[in-house]
Amino acid sequence: MNAIISASDLAKDLVGARPPVLLDIRWQLTAAKAAGEPPFDGRAAYEAGHLPGAVYVDLERELASSPGKAGRHPLPDLAHFGTAMRRAGVSSGTPVVVYDGGQGWAAARAWWLLRWTGHPDVRVLDGGLPSWEGALDTSVPAPAEGDFVPEPGAGLLDADAAAALARSGVLLDARAGERYRGEVEPIDPVAGHIPGAVSAPTTENVGADGCFLPAGELRARFEGLGVTEGARVGVYCGSGVSAAHEVLALAAAGLPAELYVGSWSEWSSDPDRPVAVGPDPQ
């Protein structure tokens, strides 16, 4: 099953025999608060207009737990996550499509969580809300309660497993290149990267239109970064959000990967963990 869906195909599915549950995951990094600007309000954006029938899901409150030593966006409490998904109408036997404001990071976080906890049919709207050409709605739906019960599966890395994978397989760093090299660090306490990790900015997985590159181009990109057939691959970023987008891109290319959710925000909070700087992985 393809992990992404185009807006035209989604429009067809919504009037088909098995319409998907729609989840709106609009979210942005709140670093703008440091400049005195108000943080992005995903719920307000949702209420101003969303795909008809879509339910808003709050990334900070429902797709993550409180920030701390485990990072800025640790895994959510699974009971709380399950309650949020059932409230949104998610059932195990019903397809789900998630979307955000176009960047794709937040939608990918929801996609990864649902897939990791056992939902068999989840896709991300390619290009997010800007790709949708139909009418938007401002009413807030009240879907019937779903029956999805999350059960954690494989594909999750902790800090020690990520460090080991950087030596034995391929660990991709999905942050911007300048953060990987340690030239700037606007959020976390230490600049640099996990020793052995390879720089692979998430932004290079999409074209100018915000949609994913074709599967063949994505596969060629990752092969150029050392991802070979059968290799064990892991991904991290700042806090486990944009890295989920990279896991999604890898899935679209037919390449399975694991996610280090704590990512650099967890790694850099421990002064005993090594840090590499510069363009060289080591």
Side-chain angles (χ1 to χ4, degrees):
M1 184 192 69
N2 199 344
I4 58 176
I5 183 171
S6 67
S8 59
D9 284 345
L10 175 58
K12 295 174 186 175
D13 284 0
L14 287 173
V15 296
R18 294 180 69 236
V21 171
L22 294 177
L23 303 181
D24 185 309
I25 326 283
R26 271 179 276 183
W27 168 89
Q28 291 179 13
L29 283 172
T30 56
K33 289 191 295 184
E37 300 174 21
F40 175 78
D41 188 336
R43 182 172 291 279
Y46 165 82
E47 292 174 351
H50 53 265
L51 268 62
V55 176
Y56 177 71
V57 175
D58 191 315
L59 184 148
E60 301 280 355
R61 295 177 175 83
E62 296 171 319
L63 305 183
S65 53
S66 299
K69 290 185 177 180
R72 285 194 308 281
H73 293 107
L75 287 175
D77 174 81
L78 289 188
H80 180 67
F81 172 64
T83 297
M85 292 299 98
R86 291 188 294 274
R87 171 192 62 82
V90 174
S91 292
S92 297
T94 305
V96 177
V97 172
V98 295
Y99 71 91
D100 57 24
Q103 189 177 43
W105 295 4
R109 171 74 174 220
W111 167 84
W112 182 85
L113 271 170
L114 281 164
R115 294 291 292 149
W116 177 65
T117 54
H119 198 289
D121 190 351
V122 190
R123 290 171 291 174
V124 171
L125 176 58
D126 199 11
L129 187 64
S131 70
W132 181 254
E133 296 182 354
L136 298 181
D137 193 4
T138 57
S139 62
V140 178
E145 182 88 359
D147 64 16
F148 178 67
V149 177
E151 295 289 346
L156 176 67
L157 299 172
D158 61 14
D160 290 339
L165 185 54
R167 304 298 182 187
S168 63
V170 182
L171 182 64
L172 301 177
D173 184 318
R175 298 173 301 160
E178 58 268 25
R179 290 184 70 192
Y180 169 87
R181 295 187 296 270
E183 296 166 0
V184 298
E185 183 44 67
I187 305 172
D188 294 310
V190 178
H193 60 266
I194 296 174
V198 177
S199 180
T202 293
T203 52
E204 296 179 16
N205 294 325
V206 299
D209 59 357
C211 293
F212 281 100
L213 298 175
E217 292 184 27
L218 287 171
R219 193 175 184 90
R221 182 196 180 213
F222 291 122
E223 287 176 347
L225 294 170
V227 178
T228 56
E229 193 74 40
R232 189 180 175 198
V233 182
V235 187
Y236 75 95
C237 58
S239 66
V241 178
S242 66
H245 188 274
E246 189 118 296
V247 173
L248 175 61
L250 284 153
L255 300 166
E258 299 170 85
L259 178 65
Y260 172 27
V261 172
S263 285
W264 190 248
S265 59
E266 178 187 41
W267 184 278
S268 63
S269 69
D270 184 345
D272 292 331
R273 293 205 176 274
V275 172
V277 295
D280 191 292
Q282 307 305 325

